[in-house]
């Protein structure tokens, strides 16, 4: 039977999760743009560079969570995030690594739809198309991930919770702007990147649920909740800043 302190802590965490799920980042102007607009070549090129640089930190962040979970003897978090890391890296098959799927799908789409040259994920950081808001996002999330264990868990929960909506919106943009790629090639070579995350199996929804469970497992005091809340809210705030800056950039074109 849980004591009153445990119940109060759990209620705080539940309220925090509800707040995160209703954060204004999910209603940002760039998402609204992606859901309705038809891409021009310059807008797609801009999106690809910034999305690559933003998302290139995903596996690095998850690997850091795994390493820190091991260092803190947090077996449950290690088990859950090791599974997430394994999926992100293709379940042992390099060809199915999510970063490679992202690179291949975006470059095929860019070439066939807009005649754009390829861009490697690791080269995106040096692209002139990457805006200061995207750089600030990477720097701030890294700072939060490496500050302390509970803030790190908050960052991980926020990122995993945000991923499902982000990828669904991006998939919609790809679908709306497809003109040249045949449907079967689009599904098998482009949309596959999104479908491994937000397909029928609900991978990102499960990742988000796992991250929330890790947070619940590690909240024993008010201070724990406060640190997790800070890491999570700061992460979604800086992500919102990035999306807003990207919208301003495309709207100015």
């Amino acid at each position: 039977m849980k004591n009153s302190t445990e119940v109060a802590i759990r209620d705080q965490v539940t309220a925090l999760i509800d707040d995160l799920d209703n954060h204004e980042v999910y209603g940002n102007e760039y998402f609204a743009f992606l859901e309705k607009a038809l891409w021009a070549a310059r807008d797609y090129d801009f999106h690809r560079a910034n999305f690559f640089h933003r998302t290139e930190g995903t596996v690095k962040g998850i690997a850091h969570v795994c390493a820190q979970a091991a260092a803190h003897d947090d077996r449950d978090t290690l088990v859950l995030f090791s599974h997430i890391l394994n999926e992100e890296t293709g379940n042992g098959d390099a060809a199915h690594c999510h970063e490679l799927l992202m690179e291949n799908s975006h470059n095929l789409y860019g070439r066939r739809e807009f005649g754009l040259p390829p861009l490697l994920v690791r080269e995106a950081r040096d692209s002139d198309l990457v805006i200061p808001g995207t750089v600030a996002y990477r720097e701030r999330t890294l700072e939060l991930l490496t500050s302390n264990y509970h803030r790190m868990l908050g960052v991980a929960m926020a990122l995993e919770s945000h991923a499902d909506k982000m990828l669904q919106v991006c998939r919609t943009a790809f679908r709306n702007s497809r003109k040249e790629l045949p449907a079967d090639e689009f599904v098998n070579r482009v949309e596959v990147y999104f479908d491994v995350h937000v397909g029928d199996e609900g991978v990102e929804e499960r990742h988000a649920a796992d991250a929330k469970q890790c947070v619940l497992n590690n909240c024993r005091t008010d201070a724990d909740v406060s640190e997790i809340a800070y890491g999570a809210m700061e992460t979604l705030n800086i992500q919102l800043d990035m999306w807003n800056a990207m919208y301003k950039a495309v709207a100015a074109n």
Side-chain angles (χ1 to χ4, degrees):
M1 182 176 179
K2 297 183 184 302
N3 61 41
S4 59
T5 300
E6 290 174 317
V7 171
I9 293 295
R10 190 173 187 88
D11 286 347
Q12 287 185 59
V13 176
T14 300
L16 168 62
I17 290 172
D18 288 342
D19 287 345
L20 293 174
D21 288 342
N22 291 287
H23 192 281
E24 60 182 319
V25 70
Y26 298 108
N28 71 78
E29 292 180 305
Y30 190 65
F31 279 9
F33 165 78
L34 290 181
E35 288 180 315
K36 296 178 181 179
L38 297 178
W39 267 321
R42 65 179 183 277
D43 293 334
Y44 178 77
D45 203 14
F46 171 79
H47 173 86
R48 178 179 60 174
N50 284 276
F51 189 76
F52 275 11
H53 187 51
R54 177 216 174 271
T55 309
E56 189 258 346
T58 297
V59 168
K60 295 175 180 178
I62 296 169
H64 178 75
V65 172
C66 291
Q68 288 300 303
H72 284 77
D73 299 315
D74 184 355
R75 181 176 58 193
D76 290 342
T77 297
L78 177 60
V79 169
L80 290 173
F81 271 85
S82 292
H83 184 47
I84 293 173
L85 182 62
N86 187 53
E87 289 181 317
E88 286 288 339
T89 53
N91 293 310
D93 184 346
H96 294 152
C97 176
H98 291 183
E99 183 175 298
L100 186 60
L101 289 177
M102 176 177 70
E103 185 176 272
N104 289 341
S105 65
H106 282 65
N107 286 334
L108 173 64
Y109 191 87
R111 177 172 60 84
R112 295 288 294 276
E113 296 293 339
F114 305 112
L116 294 171
L119 175 69
L120 299 181
V121 171
R122 65 177 179 270
E123 293 175 347
R125 71 192 71 168
D126 299 317
S127 171
D128 292 338
L129 296 173
V130 172
I131 60 173
T134 305
V135 175
Y137 166 84
R138 285 293 303 274
E139 291 177 346
R140 183 60 174 146
T141 51
L142 178 60
E143 181 181 75
L144 291 164
L145 275 168
T146 56
S147 56
N148 65 59
Y149 193 65
H150 285 87
R151 284 189 188 181
M152 178 198 75
L153 291 174
V155 175
M157 178 174 66
L159 292 178
E160 293 298 345
S161 298
H162 174 265
D164 186 69
K165 173 66 172 178
M166 175 188 72
L167 291 166
Q168 289 194 49
V169 168
C170 290
R171 182 175 62 181
T172 297
F174 273 73
R175 287 173 173 175
N176 289 344
S177 296
R178 178 181 68 85
K179 295 179 181 179
E180 302 299 328
L181 276 165
D184 59 343
E185 187 176 8
F186 174 74
V187 169
N188 294 323
R189 299 184 62 191
V190 175
E191 197 172 62
V192 61
Y193 164 68
F194 301 102
D195 289 346
V196 297
H197 296 90
V198 294
D200 294 338
E201 295 182 9
V203 171
E204 288 301 337
E205 291 180 342
R206 173 167 50 78
H207 288 182
D210 287 348
K212 290 171 183 176
Q213 185 59 53
C214 292
V215 163
L216 283 166
N217 293 346
N218 282 277
C219 282
R220 299 177 181 87
T221 68
D222 290 341
D224 293 343
V225 180
S226 179
E227 286 297 305
I228 286 170
Y230 182 80
M233 285 297 184
E234 284 289 296
T235 297
L236 292 187
N237 288 342
I238 193 66
Q239 179 65 94
L240 176 61
D241 289 346
M242 175 189 154
W243 294 136
N244 285 342
M246 287 181 66
Y247 177 74
K248 288 179 182 178
V250 296
N253 286 337

